[in-house]
Amino acid sequence: MAKGPKGPPKGKGKGPGYPSEAEPEEFLERYCLGRRSLVPSGSYRLAAHPKKSADGPPPVCEGEYYFDVATGKLQAQDSSAEKMEIGSFSAEVVNLGPMERPGDLALPVVKVCASEVMREMQNPENANAFFVLPSQLNGAEFPSHCSIVASVEEYKYDHTGGPCAQLAAHPALAQFLLHNAATHSKPAGINAARQLVSSVNASLLNAGLTSKKHTFDVVNGYLKMPVPESDEAASSVLAALSVQLQAAQLRLLVASEVPVLGLTPSKTSFSQATHRVNLVYASAVPINAYVNGIGAVSKGFGDLQLQEFQRKVAELFLVAQHLGGTADPDH
């Protein structure tokens, strides 16, 4: 299992990239980060796949990224010594209110198309569009909860939508997220569900569900769901989760105005597009997979009930994130 880079040195005092007046709560709210966990600068490198007929080595995009915690701005600097704006990173509140909107509500800003995400991101007609990327709750894309990706280079060998979308943007952004994602070795890293999980678990404790198996957790970006032993316990978990989702305890990781200067769909060259897009990182919840296996836990709450419970939890998360990602910015 790969380990990520070391963060700022531990101890008292101001760490790299931190303004002295900042408090831990501000970092948690703005970036879903613990105060001492930020990696504000680091190296990125992404090489294109070699072309069979090409002479010489394949093109490479490499340099250093720099994150300004006061503004949320990310910059990259390559060998030309000129810094480039890579966009802004933030953790936006998912403010749903009562989840009673009709299923046939028109969403004129949303369209469904059968295409390839890298091609669509780099299409000039989609300048300033919002793309909802499948990822984990830490903004990264790991093959499983037991396999941590440390470098944007590794995304080249994962052909699913999340990694491909990350590759289509400037690689400095993906590497910044990988360096800062919450993992087993970096528990205070980016975690969009940190506040939500803490609040729901506290509610369950107050309701008398004191067993650890009745709590939520985030394991290397994957949401681990409770394992209730009865219909009553399952109902209590779902009610507590719904209340905290409506109380805006879930965050949505957003990268705004990102240049699409990453790899082209063939992955043998880099895009020359001049426009920018916005990226929203949304995470599905695994059902009967990864950290959420299904096995009979009691005579009164078997496999079918547990799978239905997991489905309802997953649905709540998807609805919350996608409504947050497609919400009218003026409301």
Side-chain angles (χ1 to χ4, degrees), residues 147-310:
S147 180
I148 295 176
V149 173
S151 168
V152 64
E153 277 276 341
E154 298 177 59
Y155 281 157
K156 292 190 301 185
Y157 307 101
D158 187 334
H159 304 300
T160 56
C164 286
Q166 301 261 33
L167 290 171
H170 193 289
L173 173 60
Q175 192 61 65
F176 164 75
L177 291 171
L178 289 171
H179 281 172
N180 285 282
T183 62
H184 69 284
S185 60
K186 191 181 180 64
I190 295 171
N191 177 359
R194 180 181 282 113
Q195 288 173 295
L196 175 69
V197 165
S198 177
S199 298
V200 174
N201 287 346
S203 296
L204 296 175
L205 182 62
N206 291 335
L209 297 175
T210 58
S211 173
K212 189 174 182 180
K213 64 184 176 183
H214 289 142
T215 60
F216 285 91
D217 195 8
V218 177
V219 181
N220 291 332
Y222 285 79
L223 183 75
K224 183 178 181 179
M225 291 183 276
V227 184
E229 297 178 334
S230 66
D231 288 324
E232 292 76 16
S235 296
S236 295
V237 172
L238 292 170
L241 176 60
S242 181
V243 167
Q244 296 303 327
L245 282 171
Q246 293 178 44
Q249 293 297 304
L250 181 64
R251 295 269 166 169
L252 203 59
L253 307 178
V254 179
S256 305
E257 299 182 353
V258 179
V260 285
L261 294 174
L263 291 176
T264 58
S266 68
K267 300 180 183 177
T268 59
S269 62
F270 284 90
S271 168
Q272 300 299 312
T274 58
H275 66 281
R276 294 173 180 254
V277 299
N278 305 288
L279 305 177
V280 178
Y281 300 83
S283 176
V285 176
I287 298 175
N288 193 20
Y290 303 112
V291 290
N292 297 315
I294 288 179
V297 293
S298 71
K299 292 182 179 179
F301 199 81
D303 291 352
L304 292 179
Q305 289 97 326
L306 183 56
Q307 183 161 336
E308 177 63 12
F309 165 77
Q310 291 188 355

Side-chain angles (χ1 to χ4, degrees), residues 29-78:
E29 292 175 1
R30 292 176 62 192
Y31 307 119
C32 291
L33 278 161
R35 183 174 188 267
R36 300 299 298 176
S37 65
L38 176 68
V39 180
S41 62
S43 300
Y44 64 87
R45 184 183 189 279
L46 179 62
H49 285 317
K51 293 181 179 179
K52 294 182 180 179
S53 60
D55 295 327
V60 176
C61 181
E62 61 184 333
E64 298 284 323
Y65 69 77
Y66 303 92
F67 182 70
D68 185 343
V69 74
T71 63
K73 299 287 187 182
L74 184 68
Q75 293 182 314
Q77 186 174 33
D78 59 18

